[in-house]
Amino acid sequence: MDTTTAVAPAPRVRIFDTTLRDGEQAPGCTMTLIEKLDVARQLARLRVDIIEAGFPASSPGETEAVRAIAEQVGTADGPVICGLARATTSDIETCARAIEPAVRKRIHTFLATSDVHLEHKLRMTRSAVLERVAAAVATARTFVDDVEFSPEDAGRSDPDFLCDVLRVAIEAGATTLNIPDTVGYVTPAEYGALIERICALAAQTPGIVVSTHCHDDLGLAVANSLAGVRAGARQVECTVNGIGERAGNASLEEVVMALHTRAAYFGVHTGIDTRELARTSRLVSACTGVYMPPNKAIVGANAFAHEAGIHQDGVLKHRATYEIMTPESVGIDGSALVLGKHSGRRAVRKRLADLGYELDDEQFHAVFTRFKELADRKKVIDERDLVALVSGEIDQPSARWELAQVQVACGTHAIPTATVALRGPDGEARIASATGTGPVDAVCKAVNTVTGELGELSEFTVHSVTEGINAAGQVTVRVTDYHTGRAFRGHGVHTDVITASGQAYVAALNRLLEARASHGNVLATTTAPTAEAAV
Ligand code: KIV
Ligand code: ZN
């Protein structure tokens, strides 16, 4: 008699990454096309199932970015590429065109279902919503077989009406039902109960996937997503580092590691290569300028640090005493230490390629020059330094200002004074000095004396790339164009944070100037605006 019993494999939970859509929508998180492509490639290496690449109807630039991701990342063995569309024919058509090059593609259309949204935002009746949902999903199905529908603000919607809407979406051909807690209002028990009810409804039609989409306004996004999985959801929508509207979305790395570490409890698995989590987090931080606090779960600098004597003693005796997962399992390990001042071009190029950067010769030359400068000051260059260096150098306009030299005088009894030498797009070097409220302010003012006052420094963050006294400082600034109101980010990396600040400021001005030039804007000159405009 055969006594073996077949064990059913744990069901798969799909990871739907919306860093490039809901995440990028957050204040200060906008990325350039090249940054979006880098993040999308890294998400593919992380092996997310679906990348929501953007909201194509929101702007021509967004359409272009979604299309580029569909072309370059939406390969046969790559993730599904998804675009967001409101429930209108024109949005859905624009979305379909943008995702068209991807081998596997999805249209995600949405319409709000809560009374507060119907009454005050959409000014629509419930029956009009039902009709619009049916039409939108059916239109999307004329372009793709894979259609996701989201009833926006589902968390605050009348559950009976919500189920009516979802039935209509299924009849019209939706294959994924995503249940957004748009304003981060519900609790895990409430969300779990809602998902359970929706799973029962979806089960009447084979092949429908129920998905979670939780915001973090009450700090419950991850807990709610996991409650959804326990209740039967088989897709989780989340973002790297939890970036997103207001307090953000459910953090991808936290959801994934909870499902991974507590696999027996959740009884599911994901396809994520967890060893890519730390690298993905760093890349998204470098591209958005949003750095993680040290105590951030999974990817914070202290997430695996054991400080207390009792803890250190326990970990030395047996790691499992205080470690529920290993740093290696999320990609934090010693092998990241790779290069030094004697490393040549070939080794640096190879390491960059391993990290997924495809740089042309000009970009590589710029990164290599910065690498050598940094290696002269810092003995060991690790992966984090390289990511920081690249984020400062890629996507820089070719005709640009370059910071050749910075010198500052400051201190308790000195008036902060800076002298800068800038090489202009014409190759000429120009020197200027200025005083300011502090050394960074003085550097920015000296730069403005050369370039003209183009915008206002609206954000400034400095952060240490690695540990130790000789660590490089990474400065991220945001400069808001006085004339267009658009904000431009710039990064600088140097062991001297004042130099890094100057580099970051000049990088942001270069992007601002390029944007003005590419819009054929007559303001693309370096003429200083009037005194009133500069206030
Ligand atoms: O939070 C939300 O409701 C959304 C939808 C567009 C899915 O992001
Ligand atoms: Zn959202």
Side-chain angles (χ1 to χ4, degrees):
M1 194 175 72
D2 182 7
T3 54
T4 52
T5 36
V7 181
R12 166 92 164 242
V13 169
R14 296 176 171 95
I15 298 298
F16 175 114
D17 180 274
T18 182
T19 307
L20 295 169
R21 200 278 298 170
D22 223 350
E24 210 244 356
Q25 231 165 278
C29 288
T30 44
M31 293 179 233
T32 65
L33 172 65
I34 292 184
E35 287 169 337
K36 284 184 188 175
L37 271 167
D38 283 337
V39 170
R41 284 196 202 97
Q42 179 57 28
L43 290 171
R45 273 192 293 276
L46 182 64
R47 304 209 71 75
V48 303
D49 298 278
I50 302 112
I51 293 178
E52 187 163 49
F55 179 7
S58 65
S59 73
E62 183 81 347
T63 311
E64 190 194 348
V66 174
R67 197 172 170 88
I69 292 168
E71 262 162 17
Q72 297 182 38
V73 187
T75 54
D77 59 348
V80 172
I81 304 298
C82 173
L84 183 72
R86 282 166 298 195
T88 66
T89 306
S90 95
D91 262 35
I92 293 168
E93 283 172 356
T94 307
C95 180
R97 276 196 301 275
I99 60 169
E100 196 274 322
V103 176
R104 296 188 300 141
K105 40 195 163 240
R106 172 181 297 186
I107 294 177
H108 176 192
T109 185
F110 71 100
L111 189 65
T113 49
S114 65
D115 288 336
V116 61
H117 276 237
L118 262 60
E119 194 182 327
H120 299 289
K121 184 182 85 169
L122 298 175
R123 299 186 203 286
M124 282 174 84
T125 61
R126 287 186 172 189
S127 62
V129 166
L130 291 170
E131 274 172 35
R132 179 83 80 82
V133 169
V137 173
T139 306
R141 277 301 299 256
T142 63
F143 295 104
V144 289
D145 293 336
D146 185 349
V147 173
E148 172 169 326
F149 172 72
S150 289
E152 191 190 4
D153 203 16
R156 291 190 300 167
S157 299
D158 166 5
D160 292 334
F161 176 59
L162 180 65
C163 287
D164 290 343
V165 172
L166 294 174
R167 257 181 235 108
V168 162
I170 294 173
E171 274 161 27
T175 44
T176 299
L177 302 178
N178 180 45
I179 311 303
D181 178 24
T182 305
V183 291
Y185 178 73
V186 302
T187 64
E190 288 167 340
Y191 194 65
L194 181 64
I195 294 289
E196 199 173 320
R197 178 167 176 190
I198 291 165
C199 285
L201 181 157
Q204 292 162 16
T205 313
I208 305 284
V209 173
V210 175
S211 165
T212 69
H213 181 110
C214 300
H215 281 268
D216 208 30
D217 300 65
L218 294 175
L220 294 172
V222 171
N224 285 345
S225 307
L226 295 173
V229 171
R230 285 279 286 177
R234 291 296 172 257
Q235 175 178 287
V236 175
E237 300 200 354
C238 43
T239 60
V240 176
N241 296 340
I243 60 169
E245 285 279 2
R246 308 179 308 279
N249 288 56
S251 137
L252 181 149
E253 56 281 5
E254 292 177 24
V255 168
V256 166
M257 287 315 286
L259 296 179
H260 188 85
T261 308
R262 301 299 310 276
Y265 175 76
F266 287 105
V268 296
H269 77 287
T270 72
I272 295 294
D273 179 351
T274 61
R275 288 161 310 169
E276 293 290 334
L277 285 171
R279 183 174 293 168
T280 312
S281 163
R282 279 180 215 134
L283 177 65
V284 170
S285 283
C287 292
T288 56
V290 178
Y291 295 96
M292 294 297 98
N295 62 337
K296 164 79 171 67
I298 318 298
V299 293
N302 292 347
F304 293 92
H306 302 282
E307 187 68 29
I310 296 174
H311 289 209
Q312 288 178 348
D313 180 53
V315 170
L316 288 172
K317 287 178 176 146
H318 197 295
R319 284 177 86 160
T321 50
Y322 288 99
E323 250 177 36
I324 58 165
M325 53 200 160
T326 63
E328 293 79 10
S329 67
V330 301
I332 300 174
D333 59 28
S335 68
L337 304 178
V338 280
L339 302 162
K341 74 183 217 180
H342 299 297
S343 303
R345 289 175 166 270
R346 193 192 293 246
V348 176
R349 225 197 224 288
K350 160 95 179 56
R351 195 65 200 139
L352 286 168
D354 291 346
L355 288 171
Y357 290 109
E358 291 166 19
L359 305 185
D360 62 29
D361 287 347
E362 195 184 330
Q363 288 168 332
F364 176 71
H365 178 72
V367 171
F368 190 70
T369 308
R370 288 270 158 95
F371 164 81
K372 281 289 182 191
E373 281 167 17
L374 187 61
D376 269 343
R377 295 180 163 79
K378 187 174 182 289
K379 283 201 186 87
V380 181
I381 304 286
D382 78 16
E383 187 179 307
R384 292 167 293 176
D385 295 305
L386 275 186
V387 170
L389 281 179
V390 177
S391 62
E393 277 310 322
I394 56 168
D395 211 12
Q396 277 290 312
S398 43
R400 55 170 159 147
W401 290 99
E402 252 176 71
L403 186 70
Q405 258 182 37
V406 187
Q407 195 178 317
V408 290
C410 59
T412 40
H413 298 296
I415 296 173
T417 309
T419 303
V420 300
L422 288 182
R423 222 180 333 273
D426 55 5
E428 288 278 312
R430 294 171 178 84
I431 295 178
S433 298
T435 57
T437 52
V440 174
D441 186 43
V443 168
C444 296
K445 290 205 166 107
V447 169
N448 289 348
T449 310
V450 175
T451 61
E453 295 224 11
L454 303 166
E456 184 185 27
L457 182 70
S458 44
E459 226 175 272
F460 176 90
T461 51
V462 58
H463 126 108
S464 163
V465 179
T466 54
E467 308 77 23
I469 192 73
N470 65 352
Q474 178 164 29
V475 174
T476 304
V477 302
R478 187 169 285 272
V479 174
T480 305
D481 187 331
Y482 282 128
H483 296 290
T484 64
R486 282 185 64 195
F488 297 87
R489 204 176 39 248
H491 298 285
V493 179
H494 203 279
T495 47
D496 170 357
V497 290
I498 302 299
T499 306
S501 307
Q503 288 170 348
Y505 187 64
V506 171
L509 294 185
N510 281 329
R511 283 184 172 170
L512 180 158
L513 282 167
E514 187 193 47
R516 284 189 185 179
S518 68
H519 285 93
N521 193 328
V522 285
L523 301 168
T525 62
T526 55
T527 319
T530 59
E532 302 87 88
V535 170

